[in-house]
Amino acid sequence: MDSEIVVVGGGHAGCEAALAASRMGRETVLVTMNRNSIALMPCNPAIGGPGKAQLVRELDALGGQMAVCADRSSLQSRMLNTGKGPAVQALRVQCDKAAYSREMRSTLEAQERLGIEEDAVEGVLVKGRRVTGVMLASGRQVQCAKVVLTTGVYMESRVIAGEESRLEGPGGEKSSKELARALRSLGLGLARFKTGTSPRVLRDSVDFSLLMPQWGSDPPVAFSFMSQAILRPHLPCWLTHTNERTHRKIRDNLHRAPLFTGEIKGRGPRYCPSIEDKIVRFGDRPAHQVFLEPEGESSGEMYLLGLSTSLPVEVQEEMVRTVRGLEDAVISKPGYAIEYDCLVPTQLTHALEVEGFDGLYCAGQINGTSGYEEAAAQGLLAGINAARAVAGRPAFVLDRSEAFIGVLVDDLVSKGTAEPYRMLTSRAEYRLLLRQDNADLRLTERGFEVGLASEERVRATREKSRLIAEGKERLARRQVRSADVEALLRARDSSPVHGGILLKDLLSRPEIQIEDLIALDDSLGRLPGEVLYQLAVETKYAGYIGRQRDEVARFRRLEGRLIPPDMDYGAVEGLSYEARQKLSAIRPASVGEALRVSGVSLADVALVLAALGHCGRKDS
């Protein structure tokens, strides 16, 4: 069963890594403890949302699989933040959990050069500092050139609910005990993190007449740029709220909450707190939202998003029944917290290879992140780089100005994380350029170059680019008379024009929409909706987009100022103690990367530049 690449773990990161490597022509084996748990969604049944949708669309543009499986298992798709600017608009798809896992598993099983082995990996075999294979729990060894670790939350995992604690992972799967010890024996630093999940309740025990339905977009919006119309059923989610009775029940049982008793030692995600943490941190809030999400088309369970908890099961039952519409709810699966070991991500390169080890890659929650989308994006990148390394090709790296994936990886590698990392739009400095809607225009050619994006996908993207260019030219050249737009301007309460006006200038007005121009130029009406959207965004936000492109140019100049890998920071006179420690540990490759290291100031970097003999001029 020897192979070129072994991927350890069948979660979202492992699936993308294994598919990427095998699609790039490398013999690949995916090792998972349970074939039926491939692409498991142990938390909420949704993919996407602000920041996360950008990752999924980028992954799709590069040739990944998550968006395709989300579309094939979609129960509802909804565009979020439509009343805000395009940089923060995001798609969120409610998935049928069983269907998603089934779609991904069948894709893996049909993939050439990809085998699936049911076993547990207990160690990584190395010769010197070069990876040579893995050791399986069954006692067998698998020889390989590259290993991609995507173990999720299973390393030394412990599930906690109240006073009860079990050494297992999500879904009752076995905890991976030996691998964490093996990584420590290699000299790698590990951290202890915590995440959690919400109770599920039986659908038939919910009084939906007391809840507010939350319908998706109509017609449904596809995640993949290559998906056609979504034909699956369109189901609602439901909204309710906690109340003072709920909060009182939680406060009365904080002495039994593992988060506050000291039972839980790991750091949890700040941006996705448990309900007991919310009650303590936001004590003045009279209510918190609770969304009921269907687990599947034929599933009898609903997921209670917003009620993540590790309270004792009997307290969870009492707490849930204080919520409007859930007075008679029956919990089918209690919520729980899970503690696990993960790698300190500053030990990784931007290719997601462990620094100092030839052929050892890590992706997903093992790198200290949270979320299906963050995991899948890392898995794709690690799989690409493992495959390229086998072929003797240079690493494939995306920087912060190219993709949210680049932001994710750079944050982990350059800054590290003190808690499970979650992607947010605010983390991306150039988010107006890195929108979810233009991921195909930004990254499809890159995916084609590495051997993942198909020729069909590239042709479609190139045609879209051509139509956008023609549309921009049409808007910049076509002038309409004031008499032709008088009625429109009056209806939109827009100031009048005298003589004539270019369509571009007309569209740049906030109150004028691209659809308004179709009546003035019927050639626009023949363009696809996705092209019209691009024309509208590029025109209305032209000034902001131009400024961000200038910022990207400055960013690239800083990235071009390289720092030698053997730089002696201890010899830099005047450098702060913290900066000396951080820079020596992380070894940034450039001035731009050094500036992003937590605890390193512009003054610190100026001293480094002076020590190197660089001109200390600051970019403005």
Side-chain angles (χ1 to χ4, degrees):
M1 197 190 68
D2 293 350
S3 185
E4 291 179 296
I5 297 171
V6 170
V7 177
V8 182
H12 301 286
C15 291
E16 296 293 348
L19 286 171
S22 56
R23 286 169 173 173
M24 292 171 67
R26 308 319 335 166
E27 295 296 329
T28 306
V29 171
L30 173 67
V31 182
T32 177
M33 289 188 288
N34 186 347
R35 181 185 294 257
N36 293 324
S37 295
I38 283 175
L40 183 71
M41 301 177 80
C43 196
N44 65 308
I47 288 174
K52 294 170 175 283
Q54 285 85 341
L55 292 174
V56 179
R57 281 276 174 84
E58 290 175 354
L59 186 155
D60 180 66
L62 289 167
Q65 193 65 24
M66 173 172 269
V68 174
C69 287
D71 289 341
R72 291 176 179 172
S73 59
S74 173
L75 296 175
Q76 180 195 111
S77 63
R78 185 177 184 182
M79 286 295 298
L80 306 179
N81 296 332
T82 54
K84 299 181 180 179
V88 297
Q89 292 178 13
L91 180 63
R92 190 170 192 266
V93 171
Q94 297 293 145
C95 295
D96 183 313
K97 285 187 172 183
Y100 184 92
S101 176
R102 187 167 58 247
E103 287 288 345
M104 187 65 81
R105 188 168 66 248
S106 65
T107 301
L108 292 167
E109 291 170 344
Q111 179 60 43
E112 295 180 0
R113 300 187 181 89
L114 176 58
I116 302 175
E117 179 78 9
E118 280 190 320
D119 210 328
V121 170
E122 294 192 340
V124 178
L125 304 175
V126 298
K127 186 175 182 180
R129 307 290 284 183
R130 180 174 61 85
V131 167
T132 61
V134 296
M135 173 66 73
L136 303 181
S138 60
R140 292 179 297 154
Q141 292 185 2
V142 182
Q143 303 300 315
C144 63
K146 311 294 174 187
V147 172
V148 183
L149 298 179
T150 66
T151 55
V153 299
Y154 286 87
M155 284 205 308
E156 293 283 1
S157 54
R158 186 170 69 109
V159 168
I160 308 160
E163 295 84 9
E164 184 181 356
S165 173
R166 304 183 302 278
L167 295 176
E168 63 182 37
E173 298 290 344
K174 292 186 297 183
S175 173
S176 175
K177 300 179 181 178
E178 300 300 326
L179 186 56
R181 298 167 194 170
L183 294 181
R184 286 192 178 94
S185 72
L186 294 176
L188 299 181
L190 302 183
R192 189 74 171 165
F193 278 178
K194 167 262 177 188
T195 187
T197 187
S198 297
R200 282 76 159 170
V201 297
L202 295 179
R203 184 195 301 264
D204 292 343
S205 67
V206 176
D207 186 351
F208 291 100
S209 68
L210 300 178
L211 308 182
M212 182 181 300
Q214 303 287 298
W215 291 96
S217 301
D218 190 16
V221 181
F223 236 137
S224 173
F225 290 103
M226 299 302 289
S227 289
Q228 303 302 316
I230 296 177
L231 302 177
R232 288 184 57 83
H234 196 50
L235 302 182
C237 295
W238 303 83
L239 174 63
T240 186
H241 295 83
T242 62
N243 52 59
E244 182 50 41
R245 289 178 57 224
T246 315
H247 302 179
R248 184 164 58 250
K249 177 60 65 177
I250 294 169
R251 291 191 194 98
D252 289 346
N253 287 277
L254 286 178
H255 64 286
R256 300 183 65 191
L259 192 63
F260 297 100
T261 63
E263 177 67 20
I264 292 176
K265 304 292 194 302
R267 288 289 299 271
R270 186 175 12 142
Y271 298 103
C272 189
S274 67
I275 185 63
E276 49 266 38
D277 196 18
K278 289 185 208 175
I279 299 308
V280 172
R281 287 168 54 189
F282 309 108
D284 58 336
R285 291 276 299 273
H288 296 275
Q289 290 184 330
V290 179
F291 289 94
L292 279 73
E293 303 176 321
E295 295 257 298
E297 180 182 358
S298 58
S299 171
E301 293 182 314
M302 304 289 289
Y303 186 87
L304 303 183
L305 180 67
L307 282 185
S308 175
T309 182
S310 57
L311 285 165
V313 175
E314 65 271 19
V315 177
Q316 292 186 38
E317 292 173 343
E318 296 171 357
M319 172 189 71
V320 165
R321 289 172 184 163
T322 65
V323 178
R324 181 176 173 83
L326 303 180
E327 290 84 354
D328 298 313
V330 175
I331 292 180
S332 55
K333 186 181 298 181
Y336 59 84
I338 183 166
E339 276 191 327
Y340 56 96
D341 283 349
C342 59
L343 191 75
V344 176
T346 51
Q347 299 168 105
L348 298 169
T349 70
H350 282 79
L352 295 182
E353 187 175 22
V354 178
E355 191 80 55
F357 283 89
D358 179 6
L360 181 58
Y361 297 81
C362 295
Q365 287 181 278
I366 190 176
N367 289 344
T369 62
S370 67
Y372 311 143
E373 304 86 353
E374 290 89 341
Q378 293 172 73
L380 181 83
L381 191 65
I384 289 173
N385 281 314
R388 287 176 68 84
V390 169
R393 304 288 301 280
F396 176 78
V397 174
L398 295 167
D399 69 37
R400 302 182 72 89
S401 68
E402 293 178 287
F404 266 70
I405 296 175
V407 174
L408 166 67
V409 173
D410 188 60
D411 278 354
L412 293 172
V413 172
S414 300
K415 303 175 184 177
T417 182
E419 63 186 42
Y421 179 99
R422 177 181 180 181
M423 177 50 69
L424 306 168
T425 52
S426 60
R427 297 190 191 274
E429 303 92 325
Y430 315 116
R431 53 188 171 273
L432 187 54
L433 300 179
L434 308 182
R435 307 184 306 275
Q436 63 158 18
D437 58 84
N438 68 1
D440 55 339
L441 302 172
R442 292 185 279 114
L443 296 175
T444 299
E445 294 284 355
R446 298 290 305 275
F448 184 66
E449 289 167 6
V450 301
L452 277 184
S454 66
E455 291 186 4
E456 178 190 9
R457 183 183 287 273
V458 171
R459 283 196 299 270
T461 304
R462 288 173 180 171
E463 176 62 11
K464 180 178 175 180
S465 296
R466 185 186 69 80
L467 292 174
I468 291 170
E470 289 183 358
K472 285 183 177 179
E473 184 178 3
R474 183 71 175 170
L475 293 175
R477 292 173 52 187
R478 176 81 161 87
Q479 188 174 56
V480 291
R481 298 176 304 167
S482 57
D484 295 332
V485 295
E486 183 180 357
L488 171 63
L489 298 178
R490 191 182 310 113
R492 296 289 185 272
D493 196 24
S494 187
S495 59
V497 299
H498 304 287
I501 185 172
L502 291 172
L503 291 180
K504 174 178 68 70
D505 296 332
L506 187 62
L507 182 57
S508 66
R509 298 186 176 196
E511 61 274 11
I512 302 299
Q513 305 305 316
I514 188 73
E515 293 79 12
D516 296 327
L517 304 191
I518 294 175
L520 302 171
D521 189 327
D522 58 4
S523 68
L524 295 175
R526 294 192 288 271
L527 295 175
E530 59 182 6
V531 172
L532 292 175
Y533 183 86
Q534 294 297 320
L535 293 176
V537 171
E538 293 284 339
T539 302
K540 289 184 175 296
Y541 294 87
Y544 297 104
I545 289 173
R547 283 195 286 275
Q548 285 213 343
R549 286 181 177 146
D550 291 341
E551 291 169 6
V552 167
R554 288 194 292 271
F555 163 79
R556 292 195 183 281
R557 287 198 295 273
L558 290 173
E559 294 299 296
R561 294 186 181 182
L562 301 182
I563 300 176
D566 59 350
M567 176 73 183
D568 182 6
Y569 294 103
V572 178
E573 187 175 349
L575 195 62
S576 71
Y577 178 74
E578 181 180 9
R580 187 175 289 118
Q581 277 193 319
K582 295 284 184 68
L583 293 172
S584 297
I586 294 173
R587 294 279 160 195
S590 69
V591 172
E593 189 179 335
L595 280 169
R596 296 191 296 277
V597 174
S598 176
V600 175
S601 68
L602 188 60
D604 292 322
V605 173
L607 291 170
V608 172
L609 284 169
L612 290 170
H614 285 284
C615 173
R617 180 181 60 82
K618 298 178 185 178
D619 285 274
S620 57

